[in-house]
Amino acid sequence: MTPRLAGLILALLVLIAPAARAAPVDTGHLKAELIAQTQAIAPGQTIQVALRQQIDKGWHTYWRNPGDSGEATKIAWTLPPGWSAGDFVWQPPEPQPAGPLVSYGYSGEVILPMTLTAPADAPVGQPVTLRAAAAFLVCEEICIPEDALLELTLPVQAQAAQPSGRWAGPIARALEAAPRRADLAAVFENSDQGLRLAITGAVLAGANLAGSYFFPFDGAVIDHAAPQSIDRGPQGLTLGLTASYAFQMPEPPQIMAGVLKAGDAYYEIEAQAGPLPAEAAGLGPPATRGGGLSAAGLGLPLAMVFAVLGGLILNLMPCVFPILAMKAASLAGHAHEAKAARGQGLAFLAGVLATFLTLAGVLIIAQAAGAAVGWGFQLQSPPVVAALALLMLAVALNLSGVFEIGTSLQGVGSGLAGRGGLAGAFFVGVLAVVVAAPCTAPFMAPALGWALTQNAASSLLVFAALGLGFAAPFVAVSFAPGLLARLPRPGPWMDHLRKVLAFPMYGAAAWLLWVLTLQAGPMAMARLLAAAIVLALAAWLFGLSQVRSGRLALRGGAAVLAILAVVAVLFPAYQGAALPGGESSGAVAELPYEPYSAERLAELRAQGAPVFVNFTAAWCVTCQVNEQVALARQGVAESLASTGAVYLKGDWTRKDDVIAAELARHGRAGVPLYLVYDTRGSEPVILPQILTEGLVVRALEAAAG
C-alpha cells in the first residue's frame, strides 16, 4: 500500500468517525451534560468544553463564592494519560436573596466553559472518552446535594478541529459573557466611614453605572446581604460596602479580588489596600432603573421625543384645567375667522416657547451658579405665588364682566390685548406655562432630568420640544377650519360662556392662596386676602370708569389701588410657615408618614424595612390628585401595615436643597417622584407620575418580598 493511499484511507476513516457525543444526566432538579465547542480534537490541540446545567424553574446552583450560604459547583475529571482540563470560566452570578441572607448563583441554563488539551501523541482515528464527576448543591426553599457522572466522547483527527456543531455558539457566547480583565485600577479602604472600594479606568468614565455591584471571590470580606451604595466619579465609581469578619482578624486583607458589575458589563478586578483616588467619587449615585422611565441612557433625539410627548400629556394634567378656560375663550371669538384663529394659535405658540426657553435659561444660569433648583422653582417663591393669585383673580373678574379690556374676548388673557388680540394670545401662552409647567407629566421627568445635566444648547432644544408638545393641540385646533366651523356663530352665548369660564380662574386663585398658606403661614394668607379685596375694588373702579363720566379720576384711583395690591404681596419678605411637629406640608392624607431625610432612609434600609418615599409639593396639582386618588386609600393603608413599610414624605413646597439634590440623583428635575425600596437592599423602583391604588399596593407587596 502506498503512503498516499494509506493517508486517503485514514482521512476517510476520520470523516466517517462519529462526532463528539455526550448524554445528559438528570440529577433530580437539573440536567447536566458535558459539551464541546468542536466536533473532534487533534493531537496537541486545546479546545473549549463546558459543563452545561439546565436547572429546574425556581431552583438554583452556586457560583465560586456562594455568598452567605450554599456550595459552589465542582467537577472532577478522570482523563486518559496526557490529557488535561482547566478550571471553570465562571459566568457572572446573580444575587439569590433568602430572608436576611444573600447568596450568589445561577438559575435557568448556565454554561461553564473549561479548556481541554490533548497530548501530542494522542492516537489519530481512535475516539477518546472523557469522564467527569460533577457535584451540585441545588436549592429552592430547601437545598439538595446532587451528583452526576458525565461522559464526553471526541474523535481524534489529524488536523486541528474548528468550532462547529450545536454547542459552538453557546460556548462562544458564554466565554464572551464571562467577566474580563480591563485596564482598571482598584483600591479599597476600611475606615470609620466603612469599607469603600474605588475603581477607575477609561471604560468607566461616562459609562452607565446604574446597578453596579461587587461580587467578591472571598466569602469573608463583605457582608453579602448589606446594600452596596454607588458614588460616581469623573473616572469611575466608589462602592460603599459592609466589612465582614475577615477585617476583624489580626491581619486584615490587603487584597480584595472579585467581579465588578458596572452597569451591564462585568470586569474581574483585584483591589489593593490604600488611599482612595478623588476621581472615583463626588458625582453622586447614578440614575436609577425601575418601573418608571429614567434619564440614564437618553440621548438628545430620544430626550426631545420624550419632551414632545410630555408636553402633549401636560395638557391633560389637573394643573392646566384653569388655563383651558383662557384658551377656550380666546378661540371662541375667532371660530369663524380662519386667519385670525391661525394668528391666535401662532401667538399662543410663541408665548409658550418664549416662556419655556426663559424658564430653562433661568434654571441653567442658576444651576451654573451652584443653586439647587429644579422644574417648578417659580412656585417655590411666596411672592410669585401671591402675584399669580392676584393675576388669576384679575382674569376672573374680567371674565365676569367687572371690567372690560378691548371689545372682544381677545383681551381675557391678561389685559395686554393689542392689535388683533395677538398680545393677549401670547400672554395666555406665557401664563399657561408659568402655572402649568410645575406639574410633571409622564415622559417629562426623564427628558428634563437629562436636559438639566447637559450643555446649554442641548437643554434648550429639549425645553423647546416640550413647548412644542404643550402648544400643539391648541395650535392644531386653530389651524383646523372644520373643527372651528362646528362652533355657533358669535352671539349672546359667548357672553354666557365667558362668565362660566371665570369660575375655573377663581378656583386657580383659591388654589394659589392655599399654596401660599402652606409656604408662608396664616399671616401671608391674610395679607393676600386683603390685597385681593383691594384689587377687586380697583377692578370695579376701572369698570365703572368705562361707563360713567370722571373716567380719568376713576382710572387713576384704580391704578393706584392695583399697584398697592401688588406691592402688598411682593413686600416685605415672607416668613416660613410654622408647621407643627416638623410635619411636611402637602395634601391632606390619612396615611401616617414621617418627614423624609437621607439619614432616616439609610437607617430604615439598614434595618431591612421596605420604604415608600413620596417627593411632593403643595403647588403640584398632580401630586395632590395622586394623594387623594391613589395614596389616601384604605388599600394602601392596609398594605403599609401588612408589609411593615415606612412612608417617608419629602415636601418641596418651599425650596429645599436636600430634596433638589435627591431629585437630581434620580434623574428628575421636578415632582412628583415616588420611590419604593425593597427589603433586599436593591436600587429603588421608580413609580410612574400618575398613580393608582392598585399600582402602589403591588409595589409595596413586591418590595416586602
Side-chain angles (χ1 to χ4, degrees):
M1 180 182 296
T2 65
R4 182 175 180 182
L5 179 59
L8 180 59
I9 293 173
L10 182 58
L12 289 173
L13 289 174
V14 170
L15 287 174
I16 64 175
R21 62 184 186 274
V25 175
D26 191 337
T27 66
H29 295 93
L30 63 81
K31 292 181 177 66
E33 61 181 317
L34 293 174
I35 58 177
Q37 196 180 25
T38 62
Q39 295 291 293
I41 191 169
Q45 183 180 7
T46 296
I47 65 170
Q48 295 292 329
V49 296
L51 172 63
R52 176 178 178 265
Q53 305 169 52
Q54 186 62 49
I55 308 166
D56 289 355
K57 185 177 181 180
W59 295 75
H60 60 268
T61 58
Y62 291 92
W63 187 52
R64 58 181 293 179
N65 167 22
D68 284 326
S69 64
E71 187 174 351
T73 296
K74 297 180 175 64
I75 189 167
W77 288 92
T78 302
L79 299 172
W83 291 76
S84 64
D87 295 330
F88 287 136
V89 177
W90 292 93
Q91 296 299 288
E94 306 164 351
Q96 305 282 350
L101 306 179
V102 170
S103 301
Y104 307 133
Y106 308 104
S107 57
E109 181 190 55
V110 60
I111 293 175
L112 301 178
M114 298 163 280
T115 58
L116 176 70
T117 302
D121 58 354
V124 174
Q126 298 181 15
V128 62
T129 298
L130 311 172
R131 295 178 175 86
F136 315 92
L137 184 64
V138 195
C139 298
E140 189 195 32
E141 293 181 357
I142 60 173
C143 290
I144 302 175
E146 297 181 354
D147 301 288
L149 295 175
L150 306 172
E151 291 186 354
L152 174 64
T153 299
L154 287 169
V156 180
Q157 64 184 33
Q159 296 181 341
Q162 298 302 315
S164 62
R166 175 184 177 187
W167 300 114
I171 292 178
R173 288 191 291 272
L175 290 169
E176 185 178 352
R180 62 185 185 275
R181 290 190 174 273
D183 188 13
L184 294 173
V187 181
F188 70 91
E189 182 179 63
N190 189 32
S191 65
D192 294 340
Q193 298 180 0
L195 177 61
R196 292 179 296 163
L197 171 64
I199 308 99
T200 55
V203 295
L204 301 181
N208 176 12
L209 300 177
S212 295
Y213 198 90
F214 177 62
F215 299 94
F217 291 155
D218 185 344
V221 294
I222 70 169
D223 181 347
H224 305 292
Q228 300 186 10
S229 64
I230 309 170
D231 188 2
R232 295 174 301 118
Q235 295 298 321
L237 76 161
T238 297
L239 294 175
L241 311 172
T242 302
S244 190
Y245 59 85
F247 285 93
Q248 300 171 6
M249 299 296 180
E251 295 184 4
Q254 297 301 304
I255 295 176
M256 195 162 62
V259 170
L260 171 70
K261 179 182 184 293
D264 295 324
Y266 292 85
Y267 304 99
E268 190 172 320
I269 62 171
E270 186 175 284
Q272 307 289 328
L276 304 184
E279 61 270 19
L283 299 181
T288 308
R289 297 174 180 175
L293 290 167
S294 165
L298 282 184
L300 179 59
L302 189 56
M304 291 182 69
V305 170
F306 277 16
V308 171
L309 292 174
L312 286 169
I313 298 173
L314 189 60
N315 284 277
L316 305 176
M317 305 302 283
C319 44
V320 185
F321 291 165
I323 311 304
L324 293 178
M326 301 173 72
K327 292 183 182 181
S330 61
L331 257 187
H334 289 299
H336 296 275
E337 302 172 15
K339 183 177 179 181
R342 288 194 295 270
Q344 288 281 306
L346 293 175
F348 176 78
L349 173 62
V352 167
L353 288 177
T355 311
F356 267 116
L357 293 175
T358 299
L359 291 176
V362 173
L363 269 173
I364 293 168
I365 293 171
Q367 289 188 336
V373 296
W375 195 237
F377 69 94
Q378 64 269 28
L379 291 189
Q380 291 179 322
S381 168
V384 172
V385 172
L388 283 174
L390 290 183
L391 179 58
M392 294 295 177
L393 177 62
V395 171
L397 291 171
N398 174 249
L399 289 169
S400 295
V402 174
F403 67 99
E404 297 292 337
I405 296 294
T407 58
S408 71
L409 288 172
Q410 308 319 309
V412 300
S414 64
L416 298 179
R419 184 176 180 181
L422 297 182
F426 180 91
F427 189 75
V428 171
V430 172
L431 193 58
V433 175
V434 171
V435 177
C439 290
T440 306
F443 294 102
M444 271 182 65
L448 295 185
W450 182 88
L452 293 177
T453 62
Q454 307 303 310
N455 58 56
S458 297
S459 297
L460 291 174
L461 284 173
V462 172
F463 279 94
L466 181 62
L468 288 173
F470 182 62
F474 183 77
V475 175
V477 171
S478 69
F479 275 76
L483 293 176
L484 295 175
R486 293 180 179 273
L487 291 175
R489 289 283 178 182
W493 69 272
M494 292 180 61
D495 187 57
H496 298 311
L497 174 64
R498 171 182 174 175
K499 289 174 178 169
V500 168
L501 294 179
F503 291 95
M505 306 312 296
Y506 286 121
W511 164 59
L512 290 166
L513 170 63
W514 173 68
V515 171
L516 181 69
T517 304
L518 294 174
Q519 288 179 328
M523 290 306 297
M525 177 182 68
R527 187 197 306 178
L528 179 57
L529 288 174
I533 293 172
V534 172
L535 181 66
L537 177 59
W540 178 75
L541 288 176
F542 185 75
L544 194 62
S545 73
Q546 295 177 316
V547 296
R548 292 193 177 183
S549 58
R551 182 172 303 178
L552 185 60
L554 289 172
R555 290 191 176 182
V560 170
L561 290 175
I563 292 171
L564 289 176
V566 173
V567 170
V569 298
L570 294 179
F571 305 99
Y574 287 84
Q575 302 298 319
L579 300 175
E583 292 185 350
S584 167
S585 65
V588 176
E590 299 173 358
L591 301 178
Y593 67 88
E594 301 178 30
Y596 169 83
S597 71
E599 295 76 16
R600 179 57 175 154
L601 176 60
E603 179 183 347
L604 291 169
R605 298 203 71 192
Q607 296 171 0
V611 184
F612 175 53
V613 181
N614 172 10
F615 291 109
T616 182
W619 40 259
C620 171
V621 180
T622 306
C623 304
Q624 309 313 321
V625 171
N626 282 335
E627 291 273 0
Q628 299 302 320
V629 172
L631 297 180
R633 297 290 176 177
Q634 187 63 29
V636 175
E638 292 174 354
S639 183
L640 285 170
S642 63
T643 60
V646 179
Y647 180 18
L648 301 181
K649 187 182 288 189
D651 181 17
W652 210 36
T653 301
R654 295 193 295 269
K655 187 175 183 294
D656 188 311
D657 292 349
V658 173
I659 293 178
E662 192 66 18
L663 293 172
R665 285 192 185 99
H666 294 285
R668 297 297 171 91
V671 290
L673 173 62
Y674 304 103
L675 305 175
V676 180
Y677 293 86
D678 63 24
T679 59
R680 300 178 292 277
S682 304
E683 292 297 317
V685 171
I686 301 178
L687 300 185
Q689 279 84 34
I690 305 298
L691 297 180
T692 65
E693 179 183 359
L695 188 152
V696 177
V697 169
R698 288 191 296 273
L700 291 173
E701 291 174 349

